[in-house]
Amino acid sequence: MKAVVFHGVGDIRLDDVPEPKIQEPTDAIIQVTASAICGTDLHMIRGTFPGMKPGTILGHEAVGVVQEIGSNVRNLKVGDRVVVPSTIACGYCSYCRSGYHSQCDNANPNGPQAGTAFFGGPQATGPFNGLQAEYARIPYANAGLVKLPKEVDDDQAILISDIFPTAYFGAELAEIEPGDTVAIFGCGPVGQFAIASAQLLGAGRIFAVDTIPSRLEMAQAQGAEAIDFNKEDPIEVIQSLTGGIGVDRAIDAVGVDAVAPNSGPAAEKAQQQSQQFQQEVQQIAPQTNPQNGNWHPGNAPSQALEWAVQALAKAGTLSIIGVYPLTHKFFPIGMAMNRNLTIKMGNCNHRKYIPSLVDMVRSGAIDPAQILTQVQPLTSVIDAYKAFDRRQAGWVKVELVPGVE
C-alpha cells in the first residue's frame, strides 16, 4: 500500500509499505478514506519535535471503513464507517474512565509514565504507524474508533479526528464563560476552531493574532477581531482595545514553531530578543534540515507564550494547546506568577470529545468543513506538505484522499 513515511528530518517520502495486520485481539484494520496534514506533522519534519524513528508512517487524522476486527472488539463490525481519535487510549484504565484519555496508562508501550500515545509520532509516543496511508491498524479499537452517522461526510469528519476536539479542549481549558474576552494566538486550523469553540462557549469578544492574510481573513469571517503582528504590536493593540485591562482568557494555538515579527512596531522588541530566541531553537531542535524554503523551524519558540501571558488581564487564564516538545524549557513563569494567572495545558483527550462533536455536526450546529481549504490525492502528498509548510496563501487545512489520482 502507499503511505507517507518519515526517513529523517526534512526527508519524507510516499513509499510502498506492507499492509497492516491484526496484532492484538483489541485491534481493528481500517481502509482510510480520508486523512489530513497537521501542524504537528510539520514539527517533526522540521526537527522541532525530535525523536522520530525512521520508517514510521506519518499522520494522526483519519476517517475510514472497518475492514477487519480482532476477537475482543465487540462494538464494531466490518463495513462500519468510523473516525479515528488522534490520541490512543485503552478506554478502561482509571485515566480513560476519568476522561483523561491522552494520559492512558496502557496505550503507550514505553510505560504508564511515558505520556501521550498517538499515531505517527516520535519514539516516546509509541511509536505507532500513522494514518497517512491506504490502510491502518487501530489499537484498542473499541475506544479508538467512533462510528459516524451518514449525515456527517468525510470532509466534516476528518476535522473531528483531531483539530476540532483539540480546539474545543483548549477553549474548555481556558475556562471561557459567556461574555469573556478571549485572545487566540495562531490562526491555523486549530486556531480557527478555537475561535469557533470560544463562540460555542459564549465568548463575547475574540482577538485573533497571526500574520498570514488568508488566515486572518478566515478568522475575521468568523467574527474575530484580526491583529497582524507584522503590522501592529499585538499586546499594545489588545491593551488599547480593552481599556488597558487585557483579555480574560488566552489560547496558545501556535506551539514550538512560533515566529517573531520581522516588520512593524513589534519587530524592534523581537530583535532585542533575537539572541535568546536563537539559543532556544538550538536547544529545542539540535538537528534541522531546511531545504529550498521548506522545513524551517520557527525562529522564536517562546514568542506565542510570552505574548499570551502579556495579553492576559490579572488573574486571567492561559490555555496551551500548541505543541511543545520535552526539549522546550522556556516560559515566562515570573510574569505569570506575579499576575496570578491560571495556566492549563495538555494533549487533547480526543475520545472524550469526539462523540459529542459528531452529534453537534450532525445536528447542523456547526459545519467544520468551512475550515477545509484543500482536498488533495495521497499521491500528491509531498507537494501538499511543502505548500502547507510554506504557509502558502489559502492553505489552511489539507485533506488527503487515498486511492485517487
Side-chain angles (χ1 to χ4, degrees):
M1 69 171 185
K2 296 290 185 182
V4 183
V5 179
F6 179 92
H7 286 267
V9 174
D11 184 3
I12 58 170
R13 307 172 197 172
L14 183 64
D15 288 343
D16 286 306
V17 300
E19 291 186 10
K21 305 294 183 185
I22 294 284
Q23 297 179 19
E24 302 290 341
T26 49
D27 287 352
I29 304 297
I30 65 166
Q31 180 181 7
V32 177
T33 56
S35 185
I37 300 174
C38 180
T40 303
D41 301 321
L42 295 180
H43 296 325
M44 294 179 281
I45 302 168
R46 292 169 180 163
T48 46
F49 200 142
M52 283 294 293
K53 180 180 178 182
T56 302
I57 296 172
L58 287 173
H60 53 266
E61 301 167 277
V63 178
V65 177
V66 176
Q67 299 294 299
E68 186 180 357
I69 56 174
S71 58
N72 280 351
V73 180
R74 300 165 185 266
N75 58 340
L76 297 167
K77 66 180 186 300
V78 172
D80 281 342
R81 187 166 158 267
V82 291
V83 59
V84 185
S86 297
T87 47
I88 302 168
C90 71
Y92 60 81
C93 72
S94 62
Y95 284 96
C96 288
R97 293 185 186 194
S98 299
Y100 289 99
H101 296 82
S102 67
Q103 297 302 319
C104 175
D105 267 343
N106 298 308
N108 195 323
N110 296 298
Q113 297 300 318
T116 307
F118 66 90
F119 293 99
Q123 179 74 43
T125 68
F128 291 89
N129 274 325
L131 307 176
Q132 290 171 3
E134 294 180 295
Y135 296 89
R137 179 179 79 93
I138 310 300
Y140 303 105
N142 62 297
L145 293 172
V146 177
K147 287 193 280 189
L148 288 167
K150 63 180 183 299
E151 295 89 348
V152 178
D153 63 29
D154 278 14
D155 289 352
Q156 295 170 319
I158 191 59
L159 302 169
I160 308 174
S161 179
D162 177 27
I163 59 171
F164 190 5
T166 294
Y168 197 88
F169 167 69
E172 280 199 350
L173 287 182
E175 303 177 332
I176 295 172
E177 296 181 355
D180 278 350
T181 296
V182 182
I184 295 169
F185 291 87
C187 296
V190 173
Q192 298 294 337
F193 275 108
I195 294 168
S197 299
Q199 291 171 332
L200 288 169
L201 294 177
R205 194 176 184 190
I206 301 170
F207 298 108
V209 181
D210 204 297
T211 193
I212 307 299
S214 56
R215 293 180 175 186
L216 289 170
E217 289 166 9
M218 183 177 284
Q220 195 172 50
Q222 290 199 72
E225 300 178 50
I227 301 172
D228 183 340
F229 64 73
N230 273 315
K231 294 181 178 178
E232 305 173 289
D233 183 316
I235 305 308
E236 290 181 0
V237 172
I238 289 170
Q239 288 291 323
S240 173
L241 294 177
T242 59
I245 297 170
V247 297
D248 304 300
R249 320 293 173 198
I251 299 175
D252 172 3
V254 181
V256 65
D257 277 313
V259 296
N262 56 32
S263 63
E268 183 178 348
K269 295 178 184 177
Q271 184 61 36
Q272 294 170 1
Q273 296 177 272
S274 61
Q275 185 175 356
Q276 170 200 326
F277 288 149
Q278 187 177 9
Q279 291 172 348
E280 291 177 9
V281 173
Q282 290 172 349
Q283 182 170 330
I284 291 165
Q287 180 188 359
T288 61
N289 187 16
Q291 304 165 24
N292 302 319
N294 280 111
W295 324 132
H296 287 268
N299 64 3
S302 61
Q303 181 69 89
L305 290 169
E306 185 173 308
W307 277 344
V309 168
Q310 292 173 343
L312 278 162
K314 293 181 291 186
T317 304
L318 169 59
S319 166
I320 304 171
I321 51 174
V323 172
Y324 291 94
L326 294 175
T327 50
H328 191 294
K329 300 178 181 180
F330 311 97
F331 182 81
I333 190 68
M335 190 190 314
M337 186 268 181
N338 282 283
R339 301 179 68 216
N340 281 47
L341 301 186
T342 296
I343 304 166
K344 294 187 173 183
M345 67 195 86
N347 294 319
C348 179
N349 306 300
H350 292 88
R351 186 57 176 80
K352 174 182 178 181
Y353 294 98
I354 286 176
S356 60
L357 296 182
V358 168
D359 287 343
M360 202 179 293
V361 174
R362 182 183 191 179
S363 71
I366 186 169
D367 180 10
Q370 293 180 11
I371 307 299
L372 185 65
T373 53
Q374 270 79 29
V375 179
Q376 298 287 318
L378 185 64
T379 51
S380 300
V381 65
I382 306 302
D383 288 338
Y385 254 108
K386 290 179 178 179
F388 185 60
D389 173 66
R390 289 193 302 267
R391 301 175 178 89
Q392 194 166 304
W395 285 68
V396 177
K397 186 61 179 176
V398 186
E399 178 182 336
L400 301 172
V401 181
V404 176
E405 297 299 328

